[in-house]
Amino acid sequence: MPPLLTIDEPAAAPARPRPQWRAFTEMGFRPLYLAGCFWALVSVWLWVHAPARITGLLGGVFWHAHEMLWGFVATIAVGFLLTAGANWTGKNPLRGNALAVLCGLWIVARIGYLMPGRPAFVVAIVADLTFFVWGAAALGRAVWVTRNQRNAGVPFLMLGLAATNALYLWAAAQGDYPALMRYFNAGLLCMAVLTLLIARRVIPFFAKRAVTGLDIPAQTRSGHWQLATGVVAIACLLAGQPNAAALALAATGLIALWQWLTWKPWAVRRVPLLWILYAGYLGLGAGLVVGAAQLAGIVIRPAWPAHVIGVAGFSVLIVGMVTRTALGHLGRPLQTDRSMVASFVLMIVAALLRLAALWPSVASMGLLHAATSAWVLAMGLYLWRFVPLMVRPRADAAKPAAPMMRMMPVARPRG
């Protein structure tokens, strides 16, 4: 007599999906987060430990400054905006082979700046500027087609990154150091304004979702003032008006610090995905105030503003943002493991050590090497954890069917 009931055993856990080109080029954050973080690791190591390998026309500190701002920070920003643009508009700005070609341009630029000779430099410039203009155009098209007015200004800020990049490269080719520094600072501020705009939206949103009962004001009006003062600071800097730029920049930084306080930082102390973002926003606000002090003529070491903004601000924010947004877009729980928290701590340590190394002392070189080691480890941990995830489909792309219970027919007794 057959059994009355059979239960199908659950299938074995599905095998880990293979890496897929389609998955890797699905959204901008996948290749560009990995490219930016990899280049951050390699370029800093080259700058500190193997400067002789930097043989291009854009050499020495000019190469280092350019690659940190436009090769690393701005690359992460493009990856984030191409991904966020899909959420804002419902239309993916760039994917598949087109995204791959964009990344190919980025690679050509990075290699070209390292190679000797003017032809390599020109090829790098063309590839680099095309990368930013194409990214801005793709995002702008998605915003325009969907009439997404709220984000209509973001593609223009991306174009601002391209414009300041072009001006910086032109000044470097001419050997005009004062103009080069002015354009670098303008690019730094353009990136800062874009970062403030993004962070002011996403950090409170992330915090309110992660911490039950946390109420954070929208700060819409202060955000408008912050955007206005930031744009004024950029314009005054390009116009050669440092005092006016200092005033506008100080206002931008102070608004950021005030916003940080209203976001109730103590409430997020137990959530690593939040406190790392809060730490980066604090560093960025402080860096803008330091930059304003330098423009106003207060005696500050020339490299301090760029490093406070770039390392304590941008880089700390980036290591948190590329972790939080990647987990979300990969369909994974918004939880940190030990490697992620270690990368956060190492990046903060790298920032503190790098700033300490700027102070002239017998320990400066040792502090610089220690900062480099912490930086490389932070980026290395991120890549180690996320490369296997970025090249595969989302975790929730194909869920196994639930086990089924099948009723068998009951045999009728004979007789």
Side-chain angles (χ1 to χ4, degrees):
M1 177 177 170
L4 301 181
L5 174 69
T6 62
I7 302 177
D8 289 345
E9 294 292 334
R16 191 180 191 184
R18 293 175 179 271
Q20 295 180 8
W21 177 255
R22 181 177 180 180
F24 183 55
T25 58
E26 180 183 35
M27 300 191 83
F29 79 96
R30 288 176 178 260
L32 290 176
Y33 279 9
L34 297 184
C37 290
F38 174 77
W39 189 239
L41 186 159
V42 171
S43 61
V44 167
W45 188 89
L46 280 174
W47 168 242
V48 174
H49 294 294
R53 300 283 184 179
I54 307 169
T55 59
L57 294 186
L58 189 65
V61 70
F62 303 142
W63 176 87
H64 173 61
H66 181 271
E67 293 304 284
M68 283 293 95
L69 179 54
W70 286 284
F72 165 46
V73 178
T75 298
I76 299 295
V78 172
F80 175 88
L81 290 172
L82 289 178
T83 304
N87 288 341
W88 297 339
T89 65
K91 181 180 178 62
N92 192 340
L94 214 57
R95 65 187 305 172
N97 290 335
L99 178 61
V101 172
L102 184 79
C103 297
L105 290 169
W106 182 89
I107 293 171
V108 169
R110 306 286 74 78
I111 295 173
Y113 289 131
L114 284 174
M115 295 178 63
R118 185 165 292 273
F121 184 58
V122 171
V123 169
I125 290 175
V126 172
D128 207 14
L129 298 182
T130 304
F131 170 82
F132 286 106
V133 172
W134 189 1
L139 180 60
R141 181 177 181 276
V143 169
W144 173 262
V145 168
T146 59
R147 300 296 189 266
N148 191 273
Q149 297 181 359
R150 186 184 182 211
N151 298 293
V154 176
F156 291 100
L157 287 172
M158 290 179 67
L159 287 176
L161 287 174
T164 52
N165 189 11
L167 291 170
Y168 179 91
L169 293 168
W170 177 83
Q174 299 298 316
D176 188 345
Y177 178 75
L180 181 143
M181 289 305 301
R182 184 167 67 253
Y183 297 141
F184 173 80
N185 289 333
L188 194 70
L189 294 187
C190 190
M191 188 67 245
V193 171
L194 183 59
T195 303
L196 291 170
L197 177 63
I198 295 169
R200 185 178 57 81
R201 292 183 183 181
V202 302
I203 293 177
F205 174 74
F206 291 162
K208 287 190 286 187
R209 290 192 64 183
V211 180
T212 304
L214 181 61
D215 184 29
I216 297 177
Q219 299 293 357
T220 303
R221 180 168 296 182
S222 71
H224 291 161
W225 279 106
Q226 187 181 54
L227 178 61
T229 56
V231 171
V232 168
I234 295 170
C236 292
L237 193 62
L238 289 173
Q241 300 294 325
N243 291 332
L247 186 61
L249 191 58
T252 307
L254 290 173
I255 291 172
L257 296 176
W258 179 76
Q259 290 170 342
W260 182 83
L261 288 172
T262 66
W263 291 346
K264 303 174 183 176
W266 184 251
V268 305
R269 66 191 183 279
R270 300 183 187 279
V271 187
L273 284 175
L274 291 177
W275 59 246
I276 187 64
L277 298 178
Y278 274 65
Y281 200 82
L282 176 63
L284 180 55
L288 294 175
V289 174
V290 172
Q294 186 188 51
L295 286 173
I298 298 175
V299 179
I300 293 178
R301 290 184 61 80
W304 262 79
H307 284 84
V308 178
I309 294 172
V311 186
F314 292 153
S315 300
V316 172
L317 266 173
I318 282 173
V319 76
M321 195 68 75
V322 296
T323 301
R324 174 32 172 102
T325 57
L327 288 173
H329 286 289
L330 290 170
R332 298 195 169 261
L334 298 178
Q335 299 173 353
T336 51
D337 59 22
R338 291 181 180 178
S339 70
M340 297 174 194
V341 176
S343 69
F344 297 168
V345 173
L346 283 166
M347 182 56 72
I348 293 174
V349 169
L352 295 175
L353 289 172
R354 185 65 187 95
L355 295 177
L358 293 174
W359 195 263
S361 71
V362 294
S364 293
M365 188 58 65
L367 290 169
L368 175 61
H369 286 179
T372 303
S373 297
W375 174 280
V376 168
L377 286 172
M379 290 301 177
L381 278 174
Y382 177 80
L383 293 168
W384 173 78
R385 187 67 181 85
F386 279 91
V387 166
L389 304 181
M390 297 288 207
V391 299
R392 290 177 167 85
R394 285 176 57 102
D396 54 2
K399 295 183 178 179
M404 297 176 60
M405 297 176 65
R406 183 172 69 248
M407 296 297 296
M408 298 295 293
V410 181
R412 292 178 178 273
R414 295 182 179 181

